Amino acid sequence: MIQRYVYGKPYDTGAVVRPVRAQDGAIPYFSVTQRGDTITWSLTLHPDEMIFGLGEQVGGINRRGQLLRSWNEDQPVHTEDQPNLYASHNLLLFTSPERLFGVYFDDPGEMTFDLGWTDLDRAVITSVGGNLNVYVLTAESLTAICREFRGLTGRSYMAPRWAFGYIQSRWGYASDEDARQVAREHRKRGIPLDGICMDIDYMDGFRDFTWNRELMPDLPKLTADLREDHVHLIPIMDAAVKEDPESPVYAEGHEKGFFCKRKDGRDFVGAVWPGRSALPDFLNSEARRWFGEQYRPLLDAGIDAFWNDMNEPALFYSEDGLRHAWEMADKLRSDNPEVEDCFRLRGVFMGMANDPEDYRHFYHRMDGADGETVRHDRVHNLYGAMMTLATADALRQYDPSRRHLLFSRSSFIGAHRYGGVWQGDNYSWWSHILLEVHELASLNMCGFLYSGADLGGFGKNTQPELLLRWLQLGVFTPLMRNHSAQHTRDQEIYRFTNWQDMRAILTVRYALIPYLYSEYMKAALNDGMLFRPLAFDYPQDADACRTEDQLMWGEDCMIAPVYTPNARGRHVYLPEDMAFIRFRSAEDYDVSTLRKGHRWVELKANEMALFIRRGHVIPLATKPAEYVDAIDTRELRLLGWLDKDTAVTLYEDDGFTPSPKLDAGLREIQVWAKGKRAEAASRGMPVEAADVVIGG
Amino acid sequence: MIQRYVYGKPYDTGAVVRPVRAQDGAIPYFSVTQRGDTITWSLTLHPDEMIFGLGEQVGGINRRGQLLRSWNEDQPVHTEDQPNLYASHNLLLFTSPERLFGVYFDDPGEMTFDLGWTDLDRAVITSVGGNLNVYVLTAESLTAICREFRGLTGRSYMAPRWAFGYIQSRWGYASDEDARQVAREHRKRGIPLDGICMDIDYMDGFRDFTWNRELMPDLPKLTADLREDHVHLIPIMDAAVKEDPESPVYAEGHEKGFFCKRKDGRDFVGAVWPGRSALPDFLNSEARRWFGEQYRPLLDAGIDAFWNDMNEPALFYSEDGLRHAWEMADKLRSDNPEVEDCFRLRGVFMGMANDPEDYRHFYHRMDGADGETVRHDRVHNLYGAMMTLATADALRQYDPSRRHLLFSRSSFIGAHRYGGVWQGDNYSWWSHILLEVHELASLNMCGFLYSGADLGGFGKNTQPELLLRWLQLGVFTPLMRNHSAQHTRDQEIYRFTNWQDMRAILTVRYALIPYLYSEYMKAALNDGMLFRPLAFDYPQDADACRTEDQLMWGEDCMIAPVYTPNARGRHVYLPEDMAFIRFRSAEDYDVSTLRKGHRWVELKANEMALFIRRGHVIPLATKPAEYVDAIDTRELRLLGWLDKDTAVTLYEDDGFTPSPKLDAGLREIQVWAKGKRAEAASRGMPVEAADVVIGG
């Protein structure tokens, strides 16, 4: 059941697609207070109550004890105390022996969530602006509430199948030759590859929709050649447009009034990579359409994939902010400053970036606002989602024959319908492997199924064992991308002496793609989750509920990555009997069985674990493939633990149809025991089942 | 066996107390190359080789895969990628199936340690200055090498017994009333307390050796009143002296030439808390003696404990650095700066702090340098250690009747003889509980036995469950101090709704103090370690060797703190059968037995674990005590697992004798089984042994 409660005059955020009639009475569970515009919802927590949700944030899967904030920000420091990152996903799930419910705050402005941080036994949730719909969701399980929420907010984005291949990225790839070299070096060594991301340096002076004609004289030929080699080129697109009257995109946007404006009617100018830039008014549908038109030259050049960045929107400084910073600095100027002034001086220029003050100085001509302009800060958290909507609409319109790869840094509920997200500028830290586990769980609750963190870490220097272990988690994430920042250690697999171990891990990924793609598409088409905390599948199991470093993956599997250096194994909690696969490569692995309970599994640096629930079997591609299109699902091998005859259902399609139909794509594989061996067949053809364990 | 190899013209660092004749031949294990002054020692690593050591650094106990640096720095950001902190402890231990050895680089200048970071299979160690002794240590075990190293570098500092009590600290305590209030609020609630640390605000304008006469009109009365209440006042002392001609300390130091000088003979001036300040030349024995004399007024006022800070030495800026920063900023001044210039601008004033350039601009009249001055950067890492030597010598000279509490932020090998260390400005992060575990292990290898991190975290805001879990680790650390930064959430135990759980954990500490003090003193007097990685005690056990989140504690115990939020238990590896004590308080606990192997133990937020090796028994104080002097060791209770009759030996003394003698303080407790019950007696008097498990 979904109940809607109205506070103030809600904005149309586009998050909700199913109308729900507003309730009159008081919202259940919470006590509500209002002071000025600010509204606070409070509730007392049961000692055993767990809180899930909030999507892309730092911290554990269980949010109890955290202080978090919805305020989209270009925030590269993903430390434990960071209250907000790039996205706002205001869904919370409360579960205790006494109650189970979800609540969604459809607020495009700033919110805070004190979830037992100040006082262990109290949650206090605050909307600064106080204009929003609040939806209370009840159902029989956490999973059911998330399904209900997806019903409310719409079906998840579906990536094309090739986007489940390995993608290599680097801030610094600029030229035709850079891209060709990456493809060549992978192919030369048999390291699988399906995509190459170009970061900002491919552009002409960081101008959206351009490319550097000196470094990339013939983009159509480059994309065609790479596609011949089964590699897709994936350019970045930034939100802001360089203030350059010579540039047709800027000139037209300016002339037609499609940029966000200050109160005085001038375009708001903030500096990002191209220097002084204007912000397209993505909250306005005409501006979105206009922005979408600009993609055509890139689509014509053969591009079929984009990643949207800097769309919180990030601001390095504004005109006002820079002037103000200098005024402050000049005031603090002294040969012998007070210590406090010295610290202020250190903060002056740091504070220019993403200054909350700047977001109060421009306005949107937002759809549905009755012709009134809306001050940006009140709807700040929508900006990135609406940029992604502009892109998604353009791709659908100008290239309707197929699904496209699209993922964004900033997002809001609703954007899960248009594209995926990556988890932003993480670091080459071991703890960020575990952070990815936590984020995958919470993002899936909110419908963001296509996701993955920068493998190896974006900022700071990576290290060979760290990248190897991180790839072992990346095997399971729909977006499997190695990305790193300029001025950090080179991070392509082939840069490392242990590259063969890394390549072997990628063979596991490619063997699993038929299953991964199938489970992903099923989750998307059924409003389900690809990754789930153990608490979702085993709510009566107290140990499962408190497990924070494992996830359920698909209907049949559990994953438990190693996320500490120099480990030779890890502790795993098995909420039921499971087959344990220890992979070194797609060809080289051990299969054993483990009983329910706390277990220790040995995993050397080049070994990764997959657990398959007892009674379940999953298919792997048998033949090695260096790109997704080469995966041959006619020859499959089964892995698992068979108790009695069963069937595995694999979803398959052409990999790009824009209107996938679940029923049309399902293919059944029958599995049965014959004595001590398992046998299997699909459509009358035998399927290899030598690695299926039989019986107890 | 210890072998010494000489490179260049080594400085006398004071680290080594036992002369070792220099070897002529080539150093074993390493290949050595020299380029200019810089010397590099390289070796190929065995796939299973582990590397321990390096004392106070971030990262795991096993250093394999890390890139670290010896360069003492006021560095509050203790993230995974931080290569250097406040101290330099250049001891490394290599252990593999093929070899076991230690190596100590007695270099007071910058060093780097690439321990399989660039290439998993190669360690590359570099001395920038190339003037040093290198000691190669061989013995039959890791523990034996550490003992040998202690023989080389001298016996560890011994704190007075009261210093094992709970200490409350806060950056912000300034007044007489602040201190009295802290004492009162603890005593009122029965929260044990033995010390209160005063951070910089007690001083008169941050001038060393002063106190604010308005806020603390009668320091002798304050210390006397607190002492009456069994609370010691522990003031901070900063390294730098305010440049204030009116101040007698500065005037005398300046006149006598006891400050570090620039090449032109003027005192070097750097800004720290008091603004422009001079740096005492602690590397000169006369300057040390002079600095030591200044402690007398504080000793006369009843102070018997100090903590030394800012002695890397920290520099917020120098005269030259500030001028240079402004020059840079002015060059970057523009209404429309290039993006790169904008980032440079952000870095300009940040880069003033602890600028390596500044450390090349002042000189020491170092003892043993044949009257030549020594440029600071060449001996930089000695500065903090030599400040602590100045303090320790003064305390010994002016108050020879007892041991004093003294601990420092910066240190070097050798300083372990003069005082303890705390682990600097950590954060209120869960990961910093585990960081403390790692640091305790590595510090103990280097002889720093009296240590502890800021419980609850120094920077950032703490959280009630985090502080509770951190106190549960603090129960075992000699220095048990709750400390936090100004502008963060109040962190005294009594500020939290769950303070009774925290108080209960402190009762465990006070019950364990007789054992902790005994094991600490035995370790100090026997050149042993209080905390040891499991690899040290179970070198043949591969799982023990790779355990990074547990430590051996004393001869009989193992600890395994919970360091994740919302946990209800944790995985523990038992390298042998052990008794498992689950403490809620000193009075409320369960005793059970666990077999060798990987185990899961349940530990609610208010529960902590202690493991006692099979066949071992430890004593606890029976009566509750709110301060160390109230602990009555005549009434003891035993905990453990008895296989056959045994004896526990407890070291005891008056708690302050400056010349403790091990043999004189040993007291034996006999323990034997009588049927299914354990019985015990000491000096003919019965000892309670109801909680000793008998047999298998």
Side-chain angles (χ1 to χ4, degrees):
Chain A
M1 187 176 66
I2 305 180
Q3 293 166 289
R4 176 163 72 98
Y5 298 87
V6 183
Y7 297 87
K9 206 180 150 205
Y11 297 97
D12 179 9
T13 65
V16 166
V17 295
R18 203 189 95 190
V20 176
R21 189 195 304 257
Q23 301 279 320
D24 281 336
I27 191 169
Y29 307 112
F30 296 95
S31 62
V32 185
T33 56
Q34 180 146 13
R35 178 181 287 192
D37 290 338
T38 298
I39 302 178
T40 299
W41 295 261
S42 311
L43 79 175
T44 300
L45 299 169
H46 183 278
D48 286 327
E49 191 143 21
M50 298 185 293
I51 308 172
F52 298 105
L54 289 183
E56 188 181 88
Q57 290 282 8
V58 304
I61 299 176
N62 180 356
R63 301 293 189 191
R64 181 90 178 249
Q66 281 201 267
L67 179 65
L68 294 168
R69 182 165 168 251
S70 280
W71 183 258
N72 296 357
E73 186 175 342
D74 174 12
Q75 179 49 268
V77 184
H78 304 184
T79 48
E80 288 178 37
D81 58 282
Q82 190 55 253
N84 56 313
L85 296 175
Y86 313 91
S88 295
H89 303 141
N90 301 332
L91 171 69
L92 288 164
L93 310 170
F94 291 83
T95 176
S96 79
E98 287 170 6
R99 64 186 173 202
L100 168 67
F101 71 97
V103 57
Y104 173 57
F105 297 88
D106 190 11
D107 187 341
E110 182 183 357
M111 291 195 70
T112 58
F113 303 87
D114 179 343
L115 305 175
W117 181 85
T118 298
D119 177 342
L120 284 172
D121 295 321
R122 197 150 181 77
V124 181
I125 297 161
T126 303
S127 162
V128 171
N131 294 305
L132 70 158
N133 287 299
V134 180
Y135 297 84
V136 175
L137 302 107
T138 45
E140 75 282 6
S141 68
L142 290 161
T143 306
I145 293 174
C146 286
R147 174 163 288 125
E148 194 170 53
F149 182 63
R150 200 83 58 76
L152 180 70
T153 57
R155 189 181 260 184
S156 291
Y157 160 78
M158 281 169 277
R161 191 173 55 202
W162 70 262
F164 292 76
Y166 180 65
I167 297 172
Q168 177 58 48
S169 182
R170 171 88 178 170
W171 175 8
Y173 297 161
S175 69
D176 188 290
E177 175 51 21
D178 286 345
R180 288 178 194 273
Q181 187 199 3
V182 168
R184 205 163 53 228
E185 296 294 332
H186 282 77
R187 290 284 177 254
K188 199 162 80 184
R189 291 171 182 80
I191 305 170
L193 186 73
D194 271 273
I196 297 172
C197 279
M198 302 296 283
D199 208 316
I200 52 174
D201 298 296
Y202 81 89
M203 291 190 255
D204 176 14
F206 308 123
R207 286 170 187 82
D208 274 355
F209 308 110
T210 66
W211 59 91
N212 186 319
R213 304 275 170 163
E214 274 178 48
L215 297 175
M216 266 190 195
D218 191 346
L219 181 62
K221 180 163 183 350
L222 172 63
T223 57
D225 289 353
L226 288 173
R227 192 70 64 80
E228 184 96 350
D229 205 10
H230 308 280
V231 174
H232 295 249
L233 204 66
I234 309 158
I236 201 169
M237 196 60 68
D238 280 357
V241 170
K242 185 177 172 71
E243 184 193 48
D244 172 8
E246 307 291 305
S247 150
V249 175
Y250 171 78
E252 189 183 27
H254 174 69
E255 190 198 311
K256 295 193 170 164
F258 287 145
F259 295 126
C260 294
K261 294 195 190 315
R262 301 157 50 104
K263 201 155 205 170
D264 61 11
R266 287 194 296 138
D267 288 352
F268 174 83
V269 172
V272 274
W273 295 117
R276 291 168 55 96
S277 301
L279 292 169
D281 187 357
F282 292 117
L283 276 62
N284 176 284
S285 52
E286 283 177 70
R288 277 202 303 277
R289 261 192 304 277
W290 162 78
F291 193 82
E293 283 164 17
Q294 314 309 317
Y295 280 90
R296 298 192 68 170
L298 285 161
L299 299 179
D300 292 344
I303 302 292
D304 64 348
F306 292 94
W307 51 310
N308 286 348
D309 198 13
M310 302 292 282
N311 50 354
E312 293 73 23
L315 292 174
F316 297 155
Y317 65 86
S318 68
E319 290 179 299
D320 290 348
L322 182 64
R323 192 173 50 244
H324 177 71
W326 273 110
E327 282 167 13
M328 283 293 297
D330 286 334
K331 256 187 228 168
L332 297 167
R333 193 162 194 148
S334 158
D335 290 342
N336 184 15
E338 293 290 318
V339 167
E340 288 296 328
D341 286 347
C342 167
F343 289 132
R344 277 188 205 105
L345 192 56
R346 279 156 66 166
V348 157
F349 295 105
M350 295 300 289
M352 292 190 308
N354 310 315
D355 185 346
E357 191 57 28
D358 285 331
Y359 297 114
R360 285 192 277 270
H361 286 94
F362 59 93
Y363 293 79
H364 297 278
R365 291 191 303 126
M366 189 178 176
D367 296 327
D370 305 329
E372 305 248 323
T373 57
V374 177
R375 206 174 78 187
H376 174 78
D377 62 315
R378 307 204 195 281
V379 291
H380 171 75
N381 294 334
L382 284 182
Y383 192 80
M386 294 295 122
M387 177 196 182
T388 302
L389 176 58
T391 313
D393 280 346
L395 293 170
R396 264 195 295 261
Q397 182 177 351
Y398 300 118
D399 189 6
S401 64
R402 51 182 168 171
R403 306 200 299 268
H404 301 86
L405 172 57
L406 174 61
F407 57 101
S408 172
R409 193 169 71 185
S410 184
S411 64
F412 190 79
I413 299 291
H416 69 285
R417 304 193 299 267
Y418 321 134
V421 292
W422 90 99
Q423 291 154 29
D425 297 345
N426 62 3
Y427 284 159
S428 296
W429 287 354
W430 288 91
S431 56
H432 280 186
I433 301 181
L434 186 57
L435 175 59
E436 179 174 4
V437 170
H438 295 164
E439 291 189 337
L440 288 168
S442 301
L443 283 167
N444 270 255
M445 294 174 206
C446 299
F448 290 89
L449 303 185
Y450 189 83
S451 184
D454 290 349
L455 301 172
F458 174 76
K460 314 292 178 185
N461 292 305
T462 201
Q463 187 254 42
E465 188 199 9
L466 175 65
L467 176 56
L468 179 58
R469 287 297 196 188
W470 214 328
L471 289 167
Q472 293 170 0
L473 169 59
V475 159
F476 304 107
T477 59
L479 170 61
M480 187 188 194
R481 183 174 75 138
N482 175 341
H483 182 46
S484 53
Q486 69 174 357
H487 309 312
T488 64
R489 183 174 184 178
D490 286 332
Q491 200 165 297
E492 295 86 2
I493 285 177
Y494 51 81
R495 307 281 189 176
F496 298 91
T497 52
N498 60 339
W499 68 269
Q500 283 167 307
D501 289 338
M502 299 184 195
R503 184 178 69 115
I505 293 302
L506 287 195
T507 65
V508 179
R509 163 69 168 210
Y510 277 71
L512 282 169
I513 281 177
Y515 179 75
L516 169 60
Y517 180 68
S518 170
E519 291 299 304
Y520 169 86
M521 291 297 283
K522 284 186 207 170
L525 291 162
N526 285 326
D527 292 344
M529 293 163 65
L530 178 67
F531 290 104
R532 297 175 307 285
L534 274 57
F536 279 50
D537 286 33
Y538 308 92
Q540 303 306 322
D541 178 337
D543 284 1
C545 285
R546 299 277 161 180
T547 297
E548 293 265 337
D549 59 356
Q550 306 170 205
L551 292 175
M552 302 308 294
W553 181 65
E555 277 308 303
D556 313 283
C557 302
M558 185 178 80
I559 65 167
V562 172
Y563 54 90
T564 55
N566 294 307
R568 295 291 164 90
R570 60 159 285 176
H571 161 266
V572 177
Y573 177 67
L574 283 92
E576 59 178 303
D577 294 351
M578 291 184 178
F580 164 44
I581 324 296
R582 186 194 284 115
F583 280 114
R584 284 166 292 276
S585 76
E587 298 301 317
D588 182 14
Y589 54 84
D590 318 312
V591 180
S592 59
T593 60
L594 288 174
R595 296 285 167 183
K596 172 176 161 57
H598 291 277
R599 301 283 168 252
W600 179 264
V601 294
E602 294 193 355
L603 294 162
K604 297 202 186 73
N606 65 335
E607 294 177 328
M608 56 173 284
L610 175 65
F611 300 87
I612 304 174
R613 296 163 64 198
R614 182 173 181 166
H616 292 243
V617 165
I618 70 162
L620 268 69
T622 304
K623 285 195 193 154
E626 290 185 24
Y627 48 91
V628 170
D629 284 346
I631 295 172
D632 184 350
T633 59
R634 284 169 310 181
E635 292 190 35
L636 294 171
R637 159 191 309 179
L638 298 184
L639 278 178
W641 185 349
L642 197 65
D643 269 328
K644 53 180 184 205
D645 297 358
T646 187
V648 192
T649 308
L650 198 61
Y651 172 83
E652 293 183 301
D653 60 19
D654 60 13
F656 57 83
T657 173
S659 305
K661 301 269 180 303
L662 188 58
D663 292 345
L666 293 180
R667 169 180 157 207
E668 220 171 57
I669 304 165
Q670 299 292 335
V671 198
W672 62 90
K674 188 162 182 181
K676 299 203 162 187
R677 290 195 318 129
E679 294 193 347
S682 177
R683 294 172 184 165
M685 297 286 287
V687 174
E688 189 189 326
D691 293 314
V692 174
V693 182
I694 302 288
Chain B
M1 186 177 66
I2 306 179
Q3 293 166 291
R4 176 162 73 98
Y5 298 87
V6 182
Y7 298 86
K9 207 180 151 206
Y11 297 96
D12 179 8
T13 66
V16 165
V17 295
R18 204 189 94 191
V20 176
R21 188 195 305 259
Q23 301 280 322
D24 281 336
I27 191 168
Y29 307 111
F30 296 96
S31 63
V32 185
T33 57
Q34 180 146 13
R35 178 179 288 193
D37 291 338
T38 298
I39 303 177
T40 298
W41 295 261
S42 310
L43 80 173
T44 299
L45 299 169
H46 184 278
D48 286 326
E49 191 143 20
M50 296 185 293
I51 308 173
F52 298 105
L54 290 183
E56 188 181 88
Q57 290 282 10
V58 304
I61 298 175
N62 180 357
R63 300 294 189 193
R64 181 90 178 249
Q66 282 202 264
L67 179 65
L68 294 169
R69 180 164 168 253
S70 280
W71 183 258
N72 297 357
E73 185 174 343
D74 174 12
Q75 179 48 268
V77 184
H78 304 184
T79 48
E80 289 178 36
D81 58 282
Q82 190 55 253
N84 56 313
L85 296 175
Y86 313 90
S88 296
H89 303 141
N90 300 333
L91 171 69
L92 287 164
L93 310 170
F94 291 83
T95 176
S96 79
E98 288 171 6
R99 63 187 173 204
L100 168 67
F101 70 98
V103 56
Y104 173 58
F105 298 88
D106 191 11
D107 186 341
E110 182 183 358
M111 292 195 69
T112 58
F113 303 86
D114 178 343
L115 305 175
W117 181 84
T118 297
D119 178 341
L120 283 171
D121 296 321
R122 195 148 183 78
V124 180
I125 297 161
T126 304
S127 162
V128 171
N131 293 304
L132 69 159
N133 287 300
V134 180
Y135 297 84
V136 175
L137 302 108
T138 45
E140 75 282 5
S141 68
L142 291 162
T143 307
I145 293 174
C146 286
R147 174 163 288 124
E148 194 171 53
F149 182 63
R150 201 82 58 77
L152 180 70
T153 56
R155 188 182 263 185
S156 292
Y157 160 78
M158 281 168 277
R161 192 174 54 201
W162 70 263
F164 292 77
Y166 180 66
I167 297 172
Q168 177 57 49
S169 182
R170 171 86 178 174
W171 175 9
Y173 295 161
S175 69
D176 188 289
E177 175 51 21
D178 287 344
R180 289 178 193 270
Q181 188 199 3
V182 168
R184 207 163 50 229
E185 296 293 333
H186 282 78
R187 290 284 178 254
K188 199 162 79 184
R189 292 171 182 79
I191 305 170
L193 185 75
D194 270 274
I196 297 172
C197 279
M198 302 296 284
D199 208 316
I200 52 174
D201 298 296
Y202 82 90
M203 291 190 255
D204 175 15
F206 308 123
R207 287 169 186 84
D208 275 354
F209 308 110
T210 66
W211 60 92
N212 185 320
R213 304 276 169 162
E214 274 176 50
L215 296 175
M216 266 189 194
D218 191 347
L219 181 61
K221 181 162 183 352
L222 173 64
T223 57
D225 289 352
L226 288 173
R227 192 70 64 81
E228 184 96 348
D229 205 10
H230 309 278
V231 173
H232 294 250
L233 203 65
I234 309 158
I236 201 169
M237 195 61 68
D238 280 356
V241 170
K242 184 176 174 70
E243 186 193 48
D244 172 9
E246 306 291 304
S247 147
V249 175
Y250 171 78
E252 189 183 28
H254 175 69
E255 191 198 309
K256 295 192 170 162
F258 288 145
F259 295 126
C260 293
K261 294 198 192 313
R262 299 157 51 104
K263 201 155 206 172
D264 61 13
R266 287 194 296 139
D267 288 352
F268 174 83
V269 172
V272 274
W273 296 118
R276 290 168 55 97
S277 302
L279 292 169
D281 187 356
F282 292 117
L283 276 62
N284 177 283
S285 52
E286 283 178 70
R288 277 203 302 278
R289 260 193 302 279
W290 163 78
F291 193 81
E293 283 165 17
Q294 314 307 319
Y295 281 89
R296 297 193 69 170
L298 285 161
L299 300 177
D300 292 344
I303 302 291
D304 64 349
F306 293 94
W307 50 311
N308 286 349
D309 198 14
M310 302 291 283
N311 51 354
E312 292 72 22
L315 292 174
F316 297 155
Y317 65 85
S318 68
E319 288 178 301
D320 291 349
L322 182 65
R323 194 172 49 244
H324 178 71
W326 273 109
E327 283 167 14
M328 283 293 296
D330 286 335
K331 256 187 224 166
L332 296 167
R333 193 164 195 148
S334 157
D335 289 341
N336 184 14
E338 294 290 318
V339 167
E340 287 296 328
D341 286 347
C342 168
F343 289 133
R344 277 187 206 107
L345 191 56
R346 280 156 65 165
V348 157
F349 294 105
M350 294 301 288
M352 293 190 309
N354 310 314
D355 185 347
E357 191 57 29
D358 286 330
Y359 297 113
R360 286 192 275 271
H361 286 94
F362 59 93
Y363 294 79
H364 297 277
R365 291 191 302 125
M366 189 176 174
D367 296 327
D370 306 330
E372 304 249 322
T373 57
V374 177
R375 204 173 77 186
H376 174 78
D377 63 313
R378 307 204 194 281
V379 291
H380 170 75
N381 294 334
L382 284 181
Y383 192 80
M386 293 294 125
M387 177 196 183
T388 303
L389 176 58
T391 312
D393 280 346
L395 293 171
R396 266 194 292 262
Q397 183 177 350
Y398 300 119
D399 188 6
S401 65
R402 52 182 167 171
R403 308 201 298 270
H404 303 86
L405 172 56
L406 174 61
F407 57 101
S408 172
R409 192 168 71 185
S410 184
S411 65
F412 190 79
I413 299 291
H416 69 285
R417 305 193 298 267
Y418 321 134
V421 291
W422 90 99
Q423 291 154 28
D425 296 345
N426 63 2
Y427 284 159
S428 296
W429 287 354
W430 287 91
S431 56
H432 280 185
I433 301 182
L434 185 58
L435 175 59
E436 179 174 4
V437 170
H438 296 164
E439 290 189 337
L440 288 168
S442 301
L443 283 167
N444 269 257
M445 295 174 204
C446 298
F448 290 89
L449 303 185
Y450 189 82
S451 184
D454 290 348
L455 301 172
F458 175 75
K460 313 292 177 184
N461 292 304
T462 200
Q463 189 255 40
E465 188 198 8
L466 175 65
L467 177 55
L468 179 59
R469 287 297 196 190
W470 215 327
L471 288 168
Q472 292 170 0
L473 169 59
V475 158
F476 304 107
T477 59
L479 171 60
M480 186 187 195
R481 184 174 74 138
N482 176 340
H483 182 45
S484 54
Q486 68 174 0
H487 308 312
T488 64
R489 183 176 183 176
D490 287 331
Q491 199 165 296
E492 296 86 2
I493 285 177
Y494 51 81
R495 306 280 189 177
F496 298 91
T497 53
N498 59 340
W499 67 269
Q500 283 167 306
D501 289 340
M502 301 185 193
R503 184 179 69 114
I505 293 303
L506 287 195
T507 66
V508 178
R509 164 67 168 212
Y510 276 71
L512 283 169
I513 282 177
Y515 179 74
L516 169 59
Y517 181 69
S518 169
E519 290 299 304
Y520 169 86
M521 292 297 284
K522 285 187 206 169
L525 291 162
N526 285 327
D527 292 345
M529 293 162 65
L530 177 67
F531 290 103
R532 299 176 306 285
L534 273 57
F536 279 50
D537 286 35
Y538 308 92
Q540 304 306 322
D541 178 336
D543 285 1
C545 286
R546 300 276 163 180
T547 299
E548 293 266 336
D549 58 356
Q550 305 169 206
L551 292 175
M552 304 307 294
W553 181 64
E555 278 309 303
D556 313 283
C557 302
M558 184 178 82
I559 65 167
V562 172
Y563 53 90
T564 54
N566 294 308
R568 295 291 165 89
R570 59 159 286 175
H571 160 265
V572 177
Y573 178 66
L574 282 91
E576 59 178 303
D577 295 351
M578 292 185 178
F580 164 44
I581 324 295
R582 187 194 283 115
F583 279 114
R584 285 166 292 276
S585 76
E587 298 301 316
D588 182 14
Y589 54 84
D590 317 314
V591 181
S592 58
T593 60
L594 288 173
R595 295 285 166 183
K596 172 177 162 56
H598 291 278
R599 301 284 168 251
W600 179 264
V601 294
E602 294 193 356
L603 295 163
K604 296 201 186 76
N606 65 334
E607 294 177 329
M608 55 172 287
L610 176 65
F611 300 87
I612 304 174
R613 297 164 61 198
R614 183 174 180 163
H616 292 243
V617 166
I618 69 162
L620 269 70
T622 304
K623 286 195 195 154
E626 290 185 24
Y627 48 91
V628 170
D629 285 347
I631 295 172
D632 184 351
T633 59
R634 284 169 309 180
E635 292 190 34
L636 294 171
R637 158 192 308 178
L638 297 184
L639 277 178
W641 185 349
L642 197 65
D643 269 329
K644 53 181 185 201
D645 297 356
T646 188
V648 193
T649 308
L650 197 61
Y651 172 83
E652 292 182 302
D653 61 18
D654 59 14
F656 57 83
T657 174
S659 306
K661 300 269 180 299
L662 189 58
D663 292 343
L666 294 178
R667 170 181 157 206
E668 217 169 63
I669 304 166
Q670 301 291 335
V671 198
W672 62 90
K674 189 162 183 183
K676 299 204 160 186
R677 288 194 320 129
E679 293 192 350
S682 177
R683 294 173 184 165
M685 297 286 287
V687 173
E688 188 189 327
D691 294 312
V692 174
V693 181
I694 303 289

